[in-house]
Amino acid sequence: MKNVGVAVYDYLKTVAKGSVKAGISTAILHNGGVGLVPFRDWNSNISADLKAQIQKASDGIMDGFVKIDLPSGK
């Protein structure tokens, strides 16, 4: 999911500090800009093993062990 609120909050912090800079802000796991939607009502339908695999993949992305190729925009 996109955590748009994180981007808005971070931008407003730069406005308050007077340090706004032009450019692109990329939403990634590291900055909380994207993440998985909570399982909510499906929580009991998802096995502990699958949850552990998902967590391992997420941790691997954040630690740099799992590489993500981002599109170049071309």
Side-chain angles (χ1 to χ4, degrees), residues 19-71:
S19 61
V20 176
K21 294 181 182 172
I24 296 172
S25 175
T26 303
I28 58 176
L29 286 175
H30 288 284
N31 64 17
V34 295
L36 291 174
V37 174
F39 300 128
R40 295 193 178 113
D41 293 341
W42 283 86
N43 192 49
S44 62
N45 297 327
I46 300 170
S47 70
D49 182 55
L50 180 55
K51 289 177 188 175
Q53 289 178 45
I54 292 168
Q55 187 63 51
K56 182 178 179 181
S58 179
D59 292 345
I61 292 168
M62 294 199 354
D63 293 340
F65 295 115
V66 176
K67 301 293 183 192
I68 304 295
D69 290 326
L70 298 175

Side-chain angles (χ1 to χ4, degrees), residues 2 5-6 10-11 13 18 23 34-36 38 68:
K2 292 182 183 178
V6 172
D10 289 345
Y11 173 73
K13 283 194 313 186
V34 295
L36 291 174
I68 304 295

